[in-house]
Amino acid sequence: MVWDNFMRILIIRPGAIGDTLLTFPIIKAIRNEYVNPYITLVGNPAVLPLALASGLADETSDYGQLQWSSLFSTYNTFSPAMRDQLQQTELAICWLRDPEGVVERNLCLAGVKKVIITAGRPPEDAAIHVVQYLAQTIGLQQIELPFQLSLKPAELFTGDIVNRRIAIHPGSGGAQKCWPVPSFAALIKHLWQRNYPILLLAGPADRQRIEDILRLLPPQPQPGLLSTLIDKPLIHVAQHLLQCWCYIGNDSGVTHLAAMLGIPTIALFGPTNPSTWRPIGPDVTVIQESHLQSLPVETVLDAIFHHTL
């Protein structure tokens, strides 16, 4: 059934920032697959403004809101407003665990015409990228890879400094996925010697790493060689990244964002398998060292100047 000449599609994708961003190519393919789709994306609230700004989603909702917990209720306790939304939904795609089939049953009882529920990531031993896996789970044949996110840059900076600004995000979701703080500090010193200004990025969980890096740095050789962007909305981070010459970071959501924006991206991988989780932007260099403590600063410098020019 179609309401107002739209095919209403509900996509539920819980997870971290990177998990949600890696769903974007699938959402774009879904939008191209159907006539007049109206897509509601339910997921990580940090990422949802990007989905709206890029035109991938028409409507968004925070998966953490109480209304979505009713999906898992054995008593089918949807509010009237949510029941009305679901009755108008032609297709629901849910990348989440539903071992007892409770979510599927509730969505069908609420009137959703077609429901697809599957795990949000491939098995550990599967030799497949997560984007390819997500496509397979819903039967999509054509996925645009590499993928580039379309956003308009804000008028943030002027002058030659913009063309040389290098963004660095030293954090990640787990300590084992992070290149050591002294290595990041040494990298910044080397870049300063070549007069490259640095934009240091940090989320709420990265504050200590940023403080530790700053303590290891000498005074700036000249004004304007260091700026920080700490705990800002992701769409604000994206607008700053769009005006950077390149980006260096661990396996993290911000690294996926930088890559998707088309910025030359150096992604530092430790124990995570890049075959599954590699960023999918058009200009990505992955450096993997199973123990990131062993990754030399010189290797990262070489990647910056040989793979981003």
Side-chain angles (χ1 to χ4, degrees):
M1 188 180 297
V2 177
W3 279 258
D4 302 326
N5 296 320
F6 288 110
M7 177 171 183
R8 297 185 179 269
I9 300 172
L10 173 67
I11 299 175
I12 301 178
R13 173 56 158 158
I17 289 173
D19 296 322
T20 310
L21 286 170
L22 288 169
T23 312
F24 279 15
I26 307 300
I27 298 174
K28 183 174 182 180
I30 291 170
R31 185 167 288 283
N32 293 335
E33 185 84 3
Y34 294 96
V35 177
N36 292 331
Y38 185 92
I39 296 177
T40 299
L41 174 62
V42 181
N44 189 312
V47 184
L48 298 179
L50 288 168
L52 289 173
S54 62
L56 290 173
D58 301 289
E59 185 179 351
T60 61
S61 182
D62 177 359
Y63 181 73
Q65 290 181 342
L66 185 61
Q67 67 186 45
W68 297 107
S69 65
S70 59
L71 288 171
F72 300 90
S73 170
T74 56
Y75 301 103
N76 194 12
T77 56
F78 292 135
S79 68
M82 188 169 179
R83 186 176 296 277
D84 180 65
Q85 178 183 0
L86 294 174
Q87 285 176 344
Q88 298 181 48
T89 299
E90 182 81 8
L91 170 63
I93 301 169
C94 309
W95 284 295
L96 48 77
R97 294 186 71 255
D98 185 29
E100 305 299 325
V102 174
V103 175
E104 183 175 11
R105 184 185 72 243
N106 284 340
L107 289 172
C108 290
L109 287 174
V112 178
K113 301 302 173 291
K114 182 178 180 181
V115 178
I116 300 174
I117 298 182
T118 186
R121 55 180 58 198
E124 291 292 334
D125 58 350
I128 185 172
H129 193 277
V130 63
V131 173
Q132 305 284 2
Y133 163 78
L134 294 174
Q136 288 183 8
T137 62
I138 59 174
L140 279 176
Q141 302 299 319
Q142 298 295 325
I143 302 297
E144 182 183 312
L145 293 178
F147 175 81
Q148 187 159 346
L149 192 62
S150 297
L151 288 177
K152 293 181 179 179
E155 296 295 329
L156 298 172
F157 308 115
T158 57
D160 293 339
I161 192 172
V162 176
N163 297 324
R164 296 172 61 83
R165 188 183 296 267
I166 295 178
I168 295 177
H169 177 232
S172 183
Q176 75 281 5
K177 297 165 63 175
C178 292
W179 200 33
V181 161
S183 299
F184 275 110
L187 177 68
I188 293 170
K189 292 176 189 176
H190 280 287
L191 293 171
W192 276 355
Q193 290 172 3
R194 306 182 190 208
N195 293 322
Y196 282 93
I198 305 300
L199 173 63
L200 266 179
L201 305 169
D206 307 321
R207 288 178 179 271
Q208 187 60 54
R209 291 182 64 80
I210 290 288
E211 291 175 7
D212 292 343
I213 288 172
L214 294 177
R215 274 195 292 268
L216 292 174
L217 292 176
Q220 297 180 50
Q222 62 186 59
L225 285 185
L226 181 67
S227 54
T228 59
L229 196 63
I230 298 176
D231 200 14
K232 296 297 183 182
L234 206 58
I235 194 162
H236 189 65
V237 174
Q239 289 167 341
H240 279 75
L241 285 171
L242 282 168
Q243 301 192 30
C244 290
W245 178 63
C246 74
Y247 168 94
I248 302 98
N250 305 305
D251 174 22
S252 71
V254 177
T255 299
H256 286 290
L257 174 61
M260 283 187 180
L261 292 171
I263 300 156
T265 296
I266 311 296
L268 311 180
F269 272 69
T272 316
N273 185 357
S275 297
T276 302
W277 297 105
R278 175 190 177 95
I280 54 173
D283 192 350
V284 176
T285 300
V286 171
I287 302 174
Q288 184 173 30
E289 188 74 48
S290 56
H291 298 288
L292 280 169
Q293 295 86 347
S294 304
L295 176 61
V297 173
E298 292 74 19
T299 300
V300 179
L301 276 170
D302 182 70
I304 292 171
F305 294 111
H306 287 81
H307 298 282
T308 61
L309 294 177

